[in-house]
Each structure stands twice: as C-alpha cells, then as structure tokens.
Amino acid sequence: SGGQQVKGRTITIGLSDDSEIALGQQILSVVEERLPGLRIIFRQTHSGVVQDMLMGQKIDIAISAGGLSSQLITRIRLGRGNYLCVADADNPIPQTAQDYAQRPHLLVSSGGYIGIVDEGLNSVGLTRTVKASTSHFAAVPFLLIGSKLITTVPTHAARAMEKITTLRIFPCPVPMPSYELELGMRVGSKHDSTLQVVKSLLLESIKQHFFLQ
C-alpha cells in the first residue's frame, strides 16, 4: 500500500506562512488519507531565498510568488493572487481611500518597512501610517482582535483568518497590484513518485483554497 512505501519518509514543503495558514491543515489531511506514513515538514521561505533552498535540498517542493528562474527547477504557474483587508469585528470598515489611509495599519512584511499597500496608496496620491509591523501572518489575529489596527493580506490568508476567528474581511478601497504564484520542484525529482503525489495533492488543495485568478 501507499502507506508502506512512504513509511519513515519526510517531504519538506517550502512556503510563506500566509500559504501555510490557508493550506496547511488541508494538506495534512489529504496526505494522511493518500500517503499515510509520510511526514510533512512546512518550512518558511520567500522569493529571495526559495531557489537556493530548493537547489540546496533544504526543501523538496515550493509555493512561491516569484524567485524561481533556474533551468534546474520545474515551474508550474498557479495563477494570480490578490489582497483583502482584515479588521476586528468592532472596527468600522473604511469606506473611502482617504479613510483607509488614515487608519492605523499593521504591516505584514519580511522587511518590515514598506509593503504593497504603500504602492497602492501612492498610485492615488495617498500615504498611510504604519503603527506596527510583523513578519508573521500567523500573528495577525492576535494583534488585530480588540484593536483599531487594520491590515491588508493575500486573499487566501484573509479568508483562512475569517474562518477561524471573529475578524472580518473587506475589499481594499485602493487599487492593489496582483502577484503571480508558482509551484517549483527540482527537475531531477520527476522520478520521485511520492513527491509527484504530494505535488498533485498540493495543486488540488491550492485550487480549492487560494482563490487565484
């Protein structure tokens, strides 16, 4: 059985934590069903390091918004992602771009200084005040519930947060650029049948949970 073949085997999936929030539980449950005995490791990555992590065999498969250009990596285009805003249920939803810009913002960014929202606001001649910044999407509910902060995150992360918390989501009142999402694997791993099954389970789960265009 599939379970016997993979007993003791570990597959490492590289992804950002917004993807892990949206996808993690679903992946674990389908892997348990299809490949019992397989252990999954989720490892934090981002476009700046994802290629090195794949090539250095620190991860076996990656979901990434860019950063995969080597000829030694097979890439599958997943679609375009976009953004939603998230706020505490008691925090009034900003109705205009001005109102949105004037609210205290929580920035979720690995760099911690400027984000995609600033680009969107600049395009309509506005700037915002970032009151706080975190590098972890998983921290967002803990920072937002009971506060006046608002944040803007990828749609899949926003919907996952809405599902398990009291936070509410709403469309961004300023134009946001979309981003391209890809799945990457080393070319040499095409003969690894277990990894190929994991890839197909990932693709299926992304289709259901990522709301891509």
Side-chain angles (χ1 to χ4, degrees):
S1 77
Q4 291 315 108
Q5 295 163 1
V6 300
K7 194 138 187 65
R9 174 85 196 268
T10 298
I11 297 247
T12 304
I13 302 171
L15 71 184
S16 55
D17 85 321
D18 56 303
S19 300
E20 189 177 341
I21 286 167
L23 211 57
Q25 189 177 35
Q26 161 78 5
I27 285 296
L28 295 178
S29 91
V30 293
V31 163
E32 187 52 39
E33 200 178 293
R34 292 281 302 279
L35 296 167
L38 182 68
R39 178 183 173 205
I40 294 289
I41 294 176
F42 295 118
R43 188 161 283 163
Q44 197 85 36
T45 189
H46 59 77
S47 58
V49 297
V50 64
Q51 184 158 289
D52 288 345
M53 288 177 78
L54 265 174
M55 298 314 296
Q57 307 204 356
K58 293 188 172 69
I59 54 178
D60 300 305
I61 189 164
I63 300 165
S64 177
L68 300 172
S69 57
S70 167
Q71 299 294 301
L72 301 172
I73 291 173
T74 316
R75 303 202 308 269
I76 298 170
R77 184 185 177 274
L78 301 172
R80 298 196 74 78
N82 43 36
Y83 296 87
L84 283 171
C85 298
V86 186
D88 184 77
D90 295 331
N91 197 355
I93 288 173
Q95 300 303 322
T96 64
Q98 274 84 355
D99 185 13
Y100 172 72
Q102 284 162 5
R103 295 296 184 88
H105 284 252
L106 169 68
L107 167 65
V108 190
S109 154
S110 51
Y113 293 106
I114 190 153
I116 211 90
V117 171
D118 301 293
E119 293 170 36
L121 285 167
N122 289 347
S123 74
V124 291
L126 293 167
T127 57
R128 64 173 173 167
T129 304
V130 173
K131 284 288 187 190
S133 176
T134 177
S135 57
H136 299 289
F137 289 90
V140 167
F142 299 96
L143 298 171
L144 250 50
I145 290 171
S147 102
K148 294 280 177 253
L149 293 168
I150 61 172
T151 194
T152 306
V153 298
T155 297
H156 55 263
R159 292 194 186 277
M161 288 173 197
E162 181 194 40
K163 209 154 106 187
I164 61 154
T165 70
T166 54
L167 295 171
R168 60 172 164 184
I169 61 179
F170 55 96
C172 301
V174 297
M176 287 289 167
S178 60
Y179 59 91
E180 192 75 37
L181 209 61
E182 305 179 300
L183 184 138
M185 294 167 72
R186 290 182 295 279
V187 169
S189 58
K190 62 176 177 283
H191 304 301
D192 182 335
S193 57
T194 302
L195 191 51
Q196 292 299 328
V197 175
V198 171
K199 177 185 82 174
S200 64
L201 296 178
L202 266 175
L203 291 173
E204 195 51 46
S205 300
I206 287 163
K207 210 181 287 179
Q208 288 171 35
H209 294 267
F210 266 49
F211 314 97
L212 296 171
Q213 297 163 345

